[in-house]
Amino acid sequence: MVLNFFILSSFAFILFSCGPQDEKTSFTEDAVEAKVIPRGEELFLKNCASCHGNDGKLGNSGAKDLSSSRLPDEEIRTILEEGKNAMPAMSILMEQSSDMDSVIAYVKKFRK
Ligand code: HEC
């Protein structure tokens, strides 16, 4: 019985001592980024690159250079939802809110 407890508690110790807390946090953030960015890229290449270019700088039909854009997330969201001048509303991004978030995260990667 005592031996059993000893074995169990050393097992628990091994389980809970796998590195400091902050390592776990950055693992979670990396995991989110690993999913969000490729999805954002996929959506961008399909729906945005014809005007903005693969690197965000093309400027077709008067599209703004996304590498020099400094709009906050909420304003990017409004432009994507409502469109602006020659840019149409991107209704495809409104089917899933995670898609909207992924594209916003991805376009900010173009910033220098
Ligand atoms: C038909 C061409 C076209 C497509 C497709 C397009 N855009 Fe645009 N985009 C524009 C134009 C034109 C503007 C400039 C609007 C204005 O301010 O007059 C613009 C502006 C923007 C801005 C604002 C930049 C700034 O700093 O003012 C963002 C962000 C943006 N587009 C992101 C996207 C994303 C993300 C997609 C794909 C989901 C996309 N665009 C698809 C033409 C396009």
Side-chain angles (χ1 to χ4, degrees):
M1 194 58 189
V2 174
L3 184 63
N4 232 351
F5 177 73
F6 177 72
I7 291 169
L8 274 178
S9 53
S10 43
F11 185 60
F13 177 72
I14 292 165
L15 266 184
F16 291 112
S17 60
C18 296
Q21 192 62 35
D22 58 346
E23 249 177 60
K24 280 186 194 147
T25 316
S26 73
F27 169 78
T28 316
E29 281 165 11
D30 286 353
V32 168
E33 173 135 318
K35 224 178 128 192
V36 162
I37 295 300
R39 178 66 180 151
E41 180 176 31
E42 184 189 343
L43 290 162
F44 185 86
L45 294 177
K46 264 194 214 149
N47 304 293
C48 324
S50 55
C51 292
H52 288 281
N54 291 358
D55 59 359
K57 296 184 195 166
L58 182 64
N60 239 348
S61 324
K64 289 265 167 75
D65 179 349
L66 298 179
S67 69
S68 58
S69 173
R70 292 292 177 268
L71 290 183
D73 290 15
E74 278 317 304
E75 286 178 38
I76 298 176
R77 187 183 302 270
T78 305
I79 291 179
L80 295 175
E81 283 173 358
E82 298 171 5
K84 192 175 174 192
N85 300 320
M87 180 169 156
M90 295 286 145
S91 51
I92 186 134
L93 300 179
M94 284 174 262
E95 286 166 16
Q96 262 185 38
S97 66
S98 64
D99 280 353
M100 179 63 89
D101 294 341
S102 298
V103 166
I104 293 173
Y106 185 72
V107 298
K108 291 198 298 184
K109 289 249 160 201
F110 294 130
R111 297 180 180 186
K112 289 171 278 188

